[in-house]
């Protein structure tokens, strides 16, 4: 490529185009007006005007998570940058590739408390994978392309480029580097072959194995999901998933035990506790999975595969730690498994599956049905059944509705589930749905929301209406901050301090005020027809106010400070209260079935 002389602002636009960017989520301001002026002349890029910078980053996250591309954000200095911080922290926690370009005051004013100045690099240092303050026009082309490499390689994450206004006006030579890689950042992709072989040997000797999969399998792309599915089929091992890993393995497959963790299934958590070999793929053993660390799967050998070397043995000691990309490592595991044709103890594996079936028989997700009031679980079940034959992408806000969606909506493909896992950001779902819909214009995109969470970024309805995006906002309205109320009921003596959602808007009128479509349903008998009516709207967003039981709690639940096999179950099963419901493993490691 030949060098071209252009301004810094033009370099930004050209670099985005050269990186294959199609959509930029942003909000203009004084410190980025030169870039917006350059965008005005670039038809290949679509700028999506959000109504808040936090919404811009969440929209970019939804776009990136659902498409496998890097999400792009453009915001101004000062409050524009600080408003983006929550989204950046969210992307950092969930390993979402985002490049965020922030305006900055001219270089000679940095440090003077100039109008709309803030220390963006300092503020974002701990919530980004990497950040840059551009100090010269000569560095700008390299930094722009390097940022995309850093954001998308290794363990993905957000990268900030803080660009002073005077650098945007200056002119220099633009040339796309032949090598976009960072000088010192070279993540390991191929796993250690000796460790992979040792892991396969350990798996072959297992009597009670389980695959524990996480968001890293999704981030590694379709090859990783395909290899995981084939490895599960060949081994005959059960598989479970974190909240962020849903869809990497088909949720409707009999080998899938459901989600594990704080609101995971009885069978998944007990299988993790009683397994003798745990194969963790692209997961990080966070506290929502492990419960009390000293009681987490005490009798198992642990194989841990992760692209991030700092994750290996950080929270839970790995017996075999393999640093590498999940796709490459899983494919190599498959190759070694086929090459060695190990003789699995089929009798022991059969007993293990019998134990799992016994746990499954508890039907931990059962709930009381009602013909008078919509149960939130029923609402999610009907939504799933009526959309399962379509190309459907689901985003969520954060709370009980998020956990019910994870429990009752089955994802058979990766990249169909967009949720805020690590940071737990209320207000994530609507802007994420906007980004997802732009990435998949012909698909059905649903934001499963709570009436409290949705109000956090409700202003993004304007964005959805402006771009005629038919996202469906399916609100489970129980008039409470549901998860807060649940914890207050179970762990704080029923003292509902500030968890009641008073002064709620009429969501139907609110949708109409924005120019969308509003619907409301409080009758179980009418729910299916109303959902069908919601799905029939294809030219603008819909807010569906689904009035559900105010008192319903989300079970199973591992209370704070308890082990991962000490779950509170639904009182429908006659088992309220914290219980250790018993291991199926005897003192000598034999199944007690």
């Amino acid at each position: 490529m030949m060098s071209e002389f252009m301004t810094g602002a033009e370099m930004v636009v050209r670099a985005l185009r050269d990186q294959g960017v199609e959509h930029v989520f942003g909000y203009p301001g004084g410190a980025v007006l030169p870039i917006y002026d350059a965008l005005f002349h670039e038809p290949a890029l679509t700028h999506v005007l959000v109504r808040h910078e936090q919404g811009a980053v969440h929209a970019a996250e939804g776009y990136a998570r659902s498409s496998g591309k890097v999400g792009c954000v453009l915001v101004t200095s000062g409050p524009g940058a600080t408003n983006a911080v929550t989204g950046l922290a969210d992307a950092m926690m969930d390993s979402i590739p985002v490049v965020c370009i922030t305006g900055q005051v001219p270089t000679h004013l940095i440090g003077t408390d100039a109008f709309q100045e803030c220390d963006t690099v300092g503020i974002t240092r701990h919530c980004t994978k990497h950040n840059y303050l551009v100090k010269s026009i000569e560095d700008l082309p390299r930094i722009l392309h390097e940022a995309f490499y850093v954001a998308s390689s290794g363990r993905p994450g957000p990268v900030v480029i803080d660009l002073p206004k005077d650098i945007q006006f200056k002119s220099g030579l633009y040339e796309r580097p032949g090598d976009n890689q960072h000088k010192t950042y070279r993540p390991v992709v191929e796993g250690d072959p000796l460790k992979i072989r040792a892991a396969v040997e350990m798996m072959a000797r297992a009597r009670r194995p389980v695959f524990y999969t996480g968001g890293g399998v999704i981030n590694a792309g379709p090859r990783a999901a395909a290899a995981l599915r084939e490895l599960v089929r060949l081994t005959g091992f059960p598989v479970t998933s974190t909240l962020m890993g849903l869809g990497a393995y088909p949720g409707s497959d009999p080998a899938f035990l459901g989600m594990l963790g704080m609101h995971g299934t009885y069978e998944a958590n007990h299988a993790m506790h009683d397994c003798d070999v745990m194969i963790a793929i692209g997961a990080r053993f966070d506290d929502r999975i492990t419960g009390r660390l000293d009681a987490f799967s005490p009798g198992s050998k642990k194989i841990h595969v992760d692209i991030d070397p700092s994750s290996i043995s950080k929270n839970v000691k790995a017996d075999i730690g393999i640093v590498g990309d999940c796709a490459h490592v899983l494919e190599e595991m498959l190759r070694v498994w086929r090459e060695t044709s190990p003789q699995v103890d089929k009798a022991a594996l059969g007993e293990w599956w019998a134990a799992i079936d016994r746990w499954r028989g508890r039907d931990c997700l059962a709930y009381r049905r009602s013909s008078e009031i919509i149960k939130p679980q029923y609402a999610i079940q009907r939504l799933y059944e009526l959309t399962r034959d379509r190309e459907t992408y689901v985003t969520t806000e954060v709370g009980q509705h998020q956990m019910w969606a994870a429990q009752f909506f089955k994802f058979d493909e990766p990249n169909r589930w967009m949720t805020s896992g690590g940071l737990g950001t209320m207000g994530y779902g609507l802007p994420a749905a906007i980004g997802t819909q732009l990435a998949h214009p012909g698909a059905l995109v649903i934001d499963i929301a709570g009436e409290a969470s949705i109000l956090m970024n409700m202003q993004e309805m304007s964005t959805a209406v402006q771009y005629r995006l038919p996202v469906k906002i399916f609100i489970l309205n129980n008039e409470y901050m549901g998860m807060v109320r649940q914890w207050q009921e179970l762990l704080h003596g029923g003292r509902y301090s500030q968890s009641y959602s008073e002064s709620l808007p009429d969501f139907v009128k609110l949708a109409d005020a924005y120019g969308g479509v509003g619907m409301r349903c409080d009758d179980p008998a009418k729910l299916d027809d109303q959902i069908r009516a919601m799905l029939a709207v294809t030219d603008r967003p819909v807010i569906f106010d689904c009035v559900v039981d105010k008192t319903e709690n989300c079970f199973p639940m591992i209370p704070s400070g308890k082990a991962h096999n000490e779950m509170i179950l639904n009182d429908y099963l006659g088992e309220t209260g914290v219980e250790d419901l018993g291991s199926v493993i005897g003192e000598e490691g034999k199944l007690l079935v």
Side-chain angles (χ1 to χ4, degrees):
M1 173 180 173
M2 295 182 61
S3 299
E4 294 184 53
F5 203 70
M6 60 183 69
T7 66
E10 291 168 337
M11 289 181 185
V12 171
V13 173
R14 176 66 65 85
L16 295 181
R17 195 182 73 185
D18 287 348
Q19 284 290 335
V21 174
E22 296 176 340
H23 294 88
V24 180
F25 302 90
Y27 201 94
V32 285
L33 286 184
I35 300 175
Y36 273 87
D37 191 53
L39 272 174
F40 186 81
H41 303 284
E42 180 47 75
L45 290 175
T46 298
H47 180 274
V48 180
L49 179 65
V50 297
R51 270 47 177 186
H52 191 282
E53 292 86 354
Q54 180 184 345
V57 185
H58 292 327
E61 286 186 274
Y63 186 94
R65 177 79 172 171
S66 66
S67 68
K69 301 176 182 179
V70 176
C72 277
V73 176
L74 176 60
V75 298
T76 195
S77 63
T82 58
N83 281 348
V85 166
T86 298
L88 294 169
D90 189 272
M92 185 67 176
M93 290 286 279
D94 287 343
S95 304
I96 309 299
V98 170
V99 170
C100 178
I101 300 169
T102 60
Q104 183 56 274
V105 300
T107 52
H108 69 277
L109 290 179
I110 292 176
T112 68
D113 294 331
F115 177 68
Q116 291 193 335
E117 180 195 359
C118 72
D119 180 9
T120 301
V121 168
I123 289 169
T124 63
R125 180 169 288 120
H126 297 290
C127 65
T128 55
K129 186 177 177 182
H130 195 53
N131 59 18
Y132 301 86
L133 174 60
V134 184
K135 297 180 180 179
S136 71
I137 190 68
E138 291 77 18
D139 290 336
L140 182 56
R142 171 186 60 81
I143 287 173
L144 287 165
H145 292 288
E146 195 175 272
F148 278 83
Y149 168 77
V150 173
S152 59
S153 62
R155 179 180 176 178
V159 176
V160 162
I161 302 172
D162 197 32
L163 186 53
K165 190 170 184 178
D166 59 321
I167 304 295
Q168 298 172 42
F169 279 120
K170 285 184 179 179
S171 295
L173 288 176
Y174 171 83
E175 183 175 5
R176 178 174 180 173
D179 180 4
N180 296 334
Q181 297 183 7
H182 191 277
K183 288 184 292 185
T184 59
Y185 179 58
R186 294 287 193 276
V188 174
V189 175
E190 306 285 348
D192 184 325
L194 293 179
K195 289 185 176 182
I196 291 174
R197 191 167 290 273
V200 170
E201 291 172 357
M202 183 180 287
M203 290 161 59
R205 295 192 302 269
R207 298 172 60 85
R208 302 182 306 278
V210 65
F211 282 105
Y212 155 39
T213 62
V217 181
I218 306 283
N219 289 340
R223 282 174 48 203
L228 172 67
R229 294 166 190 224
E230 181 64 12
L231 191 57
V232 170
R233 186 189 68 80
L234 281 178
T235 59
F237 294 176
V239 56
T240 182
S241 169
T242 66
L243 179 73
M244 294 302 295
L246 293 175
Y249 191 84
S252 59
D253 190 276
F256 187 62
L257 307 184
M259 183 179 70
L260 76 157
M262 179 169 281
H263 292 285
T265 66
Y266 185 77
E267 53 267 31
N269 283 330
H270 273 277
M272 288 282 283
H273 185 268
D274 285 353
C275 69
D276 67 344
V277 173
M278 179 187 300
I279 309 106
I281 312 288
R284 56 188 180 87
F285 292 92
D286 70 282
D287 61 295
R288 297 287 157 156
I289 298 302
T290 62
R292 207 176 76 235
L293 273 173
D294 62 355
F296 176 71
S297 194
S300 68
K301 296 287 186 181
K302 299 171 182 70
I303 300 164
H304 190 186
V305 179
D306 204 288
I307 190 83
D308 181 2
S310 71
S311 290
I312 305 290
S313 295
K314 180 173 70 175
N315 297 327
V316 172
K317 185 181 183 302
D319 295 277
I320 300 177
I322 303 172
V323 178
D325 179 81
C326 290
H328 288 83
V329 175
L330 283 166
E331 287 172 347
E332 183 64 11
M333 281 182 166
L334 265 175
R335 189 192 67 78
V336 174
W337 188 277
R338 289 192 177 111
E339 175 191 286
T340 57
S341 298
Q343 298 300 309
V344 175
D345 188 335
K346 292 184 179 180
L349 193 58
E351 292 177 354
W352 181 229
W353 273 110
I356 289 170
D357 287 341
R358 194 185 84 178
W359 290 323
R360 274 179 167 163
R362 305 297 288 271
D363 196 11
C364 67
L365 299 181
Y367 60 93
R368 284 191 178 88
R369 306 299 176 108
S370 173
S371 60
E372 298 178 356
I373 190 169
I374 299 174
K375 292 288 185 175
Q377 303 96 320
Y378 178 75
I380 300 296
Q381 283 182 310
R382 297 314 305 154
L383 184 64
Y384 168 69
E385 291 296 337
L386 293 169
T387 60
R388 63 185 302 180
D389 295 330
R390 301 178 60 168
E391 182 188 355
T392 303
Y393 295 81
V394 173
T395 71
T396 76
E397 308 295 334
V398 169
Q400 285 178 319
H401 62 275
Q402 177 190 29
M403 296 297 107
W404 280 316
Q407 291 174 341
F408 290 95
F409 213 103
K410 300 183 188 301
F411 297 93
D412 287 342
E413 300 294 334
N415 305 102
R416 299 296 180 90
W417 166 249
M418 277 59 66
T419 194
S420 175
L423 198 63
T425 307
M426 295 172 72
Y428 168 91
L430 174 53
I434 287 170
T436 301
Q437 189 76 78
L438 284 162
H440 307 276
L444 171 63
V445 179
I446 305 170
D447 172 26
I448 297 177
E451 84 292 332
S453 274
I454 192 62
L455 293 176
M456 287 280 189
N457 274 315
M458 178 57 83
Q459 75 283 343
E460 298 309 324
M461 266 293 286
S462 286
T463 303
V465 169
Q466 178 177 340
Y467 296 94
R468 304 187 71 80
L469 301 174
V471 296
K472 312 297 188 285
I473 305 164
F474 192 79
I475 300 174
L476 299 184
N477 187 347
N478 59 11
E479 298 184 3
Y480 276 97
M481 300 173 202
M483 194 62 81
V484 174
R485 183 201 59 75
Q486 177 169 333
W487 279 58
Q488 289 173 334
E489 176 183 321
L490 299 176
L491 305 175
H492 296 277
R495 294 180 291 278
Y496 302 125
S497 178
Q498 303 301 312
S499 57
Y500 181 61
S501 298
E502 295 189 63
S503 301
L504 285 172
D506 182 325
F507 286 108
V508 175
K509 291 181 179 178
L510 186 61
D512 182 63
Y514 275 111
V517 175
M519 300 179 180
R520 187 175 189 273
C521 184
D522 59 6
D523 184 350
K526 298 178 181 177
L527 183 59
D528 278 18
D529 286 341
Q530 289 284 79
I531 290 175
R532 290 189 184 97
M534 174 187 76
L535 299 177
V537 179
T538 59
D539 61 343
R540 48 190 166 152
V542 179
I543 297 178
F544 189 109
D545 186 12
C546 186
V547 180
V548 300
D549 189 342
K550 298 180 184 181
T551 63
E552 194 74 10
N553 286 330
C554 184
F555 295 111
M557 174 184 172
I558 304 171
S560 179
K562 294 295 180 179
H564 66 142
N565 66 326
E566 295 180 295
M567 286 167 276
I568 303 176
L569 298 184
N570 197 324
D571 61 1
Y572 176 76
L573 303 176
E575 295 166 341
T576 52
V578 178
E579 302 180 77
D580 181 352
L581 295 169
S583 172
V584 297
I585 305 302
E587 292 181 1
E588 298 179 358
K590 294 182 179 180
L591 284 165
L592 304 176
V593 178

